[in-house]
Amino acid sequence: MNTLKINNLTKTYPNGVRALNGINLEITNGMFGLLGANGAGKSSLMRTIASLQSPSSGILSFNDVDIVNNPDEIRQSLGYLPQEFGVYPKISAEKLLHHLAVLKGILNKKERKEQVTALLQQVNLFQHRKKAVATFSGGMRQRFGIAQALLGNPQIIIVDEPTAGLDPEESNRFLNLLSEIGENVIVILSTHIVEDVRNLCPKMAIMSNGEIISQGNPSELVATIEGEIWTKIIDKSQLDIYKKAFDVISTKLVAGETQIRVLSTQKPEEGFQVIDPNLEDYYFTTLFIHNSKA
């Protein structure tokens, strides 16, 4: 069982921006969802775990080894798929994977060939292996990205906003692939898409303004607001009035009409219906409460 421990981790950039503020997490094998809006600090945390940058303070350990002072320990065990990764314009998928495998220290030619072939088959790109990665669609490029992240049998895999920009079919295919991988290693899925976490992750944390503001099992977290989420269709012109009168956690258009969701322990007023909350409701509730206290 792999264990990543993060204790009181902070990161302040030279320009004074405090990107991480006292992060505490313990992550073991399986899919772990890190949920937060763009700018919440997720990428800063992922880059720090991946040893691409040093924290300002705090403790970071992987399998009881201090990886702040021994970054090679995590690098040897890490697969990383950042939000954006560049590719050589004219190199085929197969040749690029071989090149990256050499960089990862897989020097035995037979072993390298076996691993590259197996990974191209696993991510369903074997039939496209002779094509240049630069010509791939967004979904194919993400699947190539996970193939390179899996080189060298990593024990911890970080994927940063992996489904952003993918169509629903490609997104599902990619998430199913991640789920299979995540059975025996740590997979950290950093995303602002609630559905990705809800469908995949038995453990999660919500991040805002460089802090972890909630963590646990998605279903158990959602159960804590059971009976407290109310919905009503209103006229769009009334939205500001309702926001002043009630704790409106979210609004969305449903068939062209404005639907509000309100956090309340009792019926806010006539016309409201109580609903079974989902993870999105919990996410917006947590952010609403956190921002109210800020």
Side-chain angles (χ1 to χ4, degrees):
M1 174 69 77
N2 298 294
T3 306
L4 177 72
K5 290 181 182 175
I6 304 169
N7 297 106
N8 208 24
L9 200 72
T10 70
K11 177 65 181 179
T12 303
Y13 290 111
N15 62 3
V17 171
R18 195 172 175 86
L20 302 176
N21 188 13
I23 302 289
N24 291 291
L25 284 172
E26 184 167 321
I27 303 172
T28 54
N29 283 8
M31 296 286 298
F32 184 90
L34 185 66
L35 190 57
N38 292 331
K42 303 187 307 296
S43 290
S44 284
L45 180 56
M46 298 301 97
R47 288 176 59 79
T48 307
I49 293 170
S51 77
L52 294 174
Q53 63 184 22
S54 298
S56 301
S57 64
I59 298 167
L60 195 55
S61 70
F62 182 62
N63 293 342
D64 294 325
V65 175
D66 174 352
I67 55 176
V68 175
N69 294 315
N70 303 284
D72 283 346
E73 288 291 334
I74 191 84
R75 288 171 189 160
Q76 290 167 9
S77 306
L78 178 74
Y80 186 40
L81 176 56
Q83 260 179 287
E84 300 280 337
F85 70 97
V87 292
Y88 298 98
K90 293 178 182 174
I91 296 184
S92 72
E94 189 173 49
K95 280 186 177 172
L96 186 50
L97 266 192
H98 271 283
H99 174 65
L100 293 168
V102 170
L103 294 179
K104 278 202 172 182
I106 307 166
L107 302 178
N108 181 296
K109 202 170 181 182
K110 181 171 178 286
E111 181 192 341
R112 189 166 68 243
K113 187 177 182 185
E114 285 173 359
Q115 200 169 134
V116 166
T117 300
L119 285 172
L120 285 168
Q121 287 171 336
Q122 188 177 356
V123 300
N124 202 22
L125 287 175
F126 186 73
Q127 67 273 36
H128 304 293
R129 67 192 182 281
K130 302 296 183 188
K131 293 179 186 172
V133 179
T135 67
F136 281 3
S137 68
M140 289 166 70
R141 196 177 281 213
Q142 285 297 76
R143 282 186 277 138
F144 177 84
I146 206 69
Q148 64 80 25
L150 288 170
L151 285 166
N153 300 313
Q155 294 305 298
I156 177 168
I157 297 163
I158 295 172
V159 285
D160 198 355
E161 300 287 357
T163 61
L166 299 188
D167 65 49
E169 188 181 348
E170 277 286 15
S171 178
N172 282 341
R173 192 179 294 150
F174 185 79
L175 293 173
N176 287 336
L177 176 61
L178 273 187
S179 184
E180 286 168 27
I181 294 160
E183 288 175 13
N184 302 310
V185 299
I186 293 173
V187 178
I188 303 176
L189 172 65
S190 169
T191 183
H192 67 280
I193 302 170
V194 176
E195 210 168 287
D196 289 357
V197 173
R198 183 181 67 210
N199 293 342
L200 281 180
C201 303
K203 294 165 283 186
M204 64 169 284
I206 297 173
M207 199 167 181
S208 178
N209 299 322
E211 298 177 2
I212 300 294
I213 58 173
S214 179
Q215 60 178 298
N217 170 273
S219 300
E220 290 170 6
L221 294 174
V222 170
T224 63
I225 56 167
E226 193 73 48
E228 296 181 11
I229 304 297
W230 302 78
T231 184
K232 186 180 182 180
I233 299 288
I234 63 164
D235 193 271
K236 191 179 177 184
S237 63
Q238 296 178 296
L239 185 55
D240 283 342
I241 297 167
Y242 274 90
K243 281 186 173 180
K244 283 173 184 165
F246 305 110
D247 291 340
V248 177
I249 60 163
S250 66
T251 66
K252 65 178 172 182
L253 284 175
V254 178
E257 295 185 295
T258 301
Q259 182 194 63
I260 60 171
R261 285 162 115 91
V262 166
L263 176 67
S264 178
T265 53
Q266 56 193 35
K267 189 171 187 173
E269 67 171 27
E270 278 308 307
F272 274 95
Q273 287 182 309
V274 70
I275 53 165
D276 288 331
N278 56 33
L279 188 58
E280 191 170 81
D281 293 320
Y282 179 80
Y283 173 59
F284 285 129
T285 295
T286 305
L287 288 180
F288 178 84
I289 293 169
H290 178 73
N291 292 335
S292 299
K293 290 175 182 172

